[in-house]
Amino acid sequence: GRHPGLRFVFADGGYDILTPLMWRLDTFWMSMRDQTPWVDRFPSAYLQDHVRFCTSALDGPTDESQAERWMDFTDKADLLMYGSNYPHWSTTGPDAVVAGLNDAQREKVLCRNASEMYGLVEGSLL
C-alpha cells in the first residue's frame, strides 16, 4: 500500500465493535472483491499490521473460564493493548483485564502488543 507504516490506536473505545467489524469487513469483501482488486487478503488481516485497541475492561463473556476462547476468536489478543483509563472513575487494574486469559494472551495484552506497536523493545518482558 501507499502507507505501509501508518498505524492507528483506538485509545478510548472501539474494542467492543472489533468482532462484528472484522466479520462485516470480511463478509462484504468476499461479495465485492471485483470492486477492490488491490485488496489481496481478508480486510481483517490488515488490522494486525495497522490497528490496535486499548481497553481497560474485557468486553466479552462475563465468565472468566470463557475469556481465553473469546480472545482466540478472530485473534483479538493480537490487537488489544491494556489501558487503565486513568484518571476516570472506571480505572481498572491490569489483573482484572486479563483474568481468565492464558499466559501468551496476557503477555500480548499487557506488554507485547504495545511494545511492538511503538517499537519499544524486542522480546518478552513478562
Side-chain angles (χ1 to χ4, degrees), residues 16-84:
D16 55 333
I17 66 159
L18 186 55
T19 300
L21 172 67
M22 293 172 79
W23 180 83
R24 282 179 145 317
L25 287 170
D26 292 348
T27 300
F28 291 136
W29 176 70
M30 290 297 291
S31 63
M32 304 168 112
R33 286 184 68 184
D34 60 325
Q35 295 181 26
T36 55
W38 57 89
V39 179
D40 58 0
R41 55 189 171 146
F42 282 104
S44 64
Y46 289 92
L47 294 175
Q48 177 63 34
D49 296 332
H50 301 281
V51 179
R52 294 293 180 277
F53 294 85
C54 291
T55 189
S56 61
L58 178 62
D59 184 30
T62 55
D63 182 351
E64 284 182 18
S65 68
Q66 308 236 342
E68 179 179 349
R69 184 170 178 234
W70 174 251
M71 289 297 274
D72 275 343
F73 182 66
T74 62
D75 297 322
K76 288 185 287 286
D78 294 332
L79 303 175
L80 195 59
M81 300 184 301
Y82 168 71
S84 69

Side-chain angles (χ1 to χ4, degrees), residues 9-16 52-56 85 88 90:
V9 175
F10 292 89
D12 194 16
Y15 168 64
D16 55 333
R52 294 293 180 277
F53 294 85
C54 291
T55 189
S56 61
N85 206 22
H88 294 87
S90 59

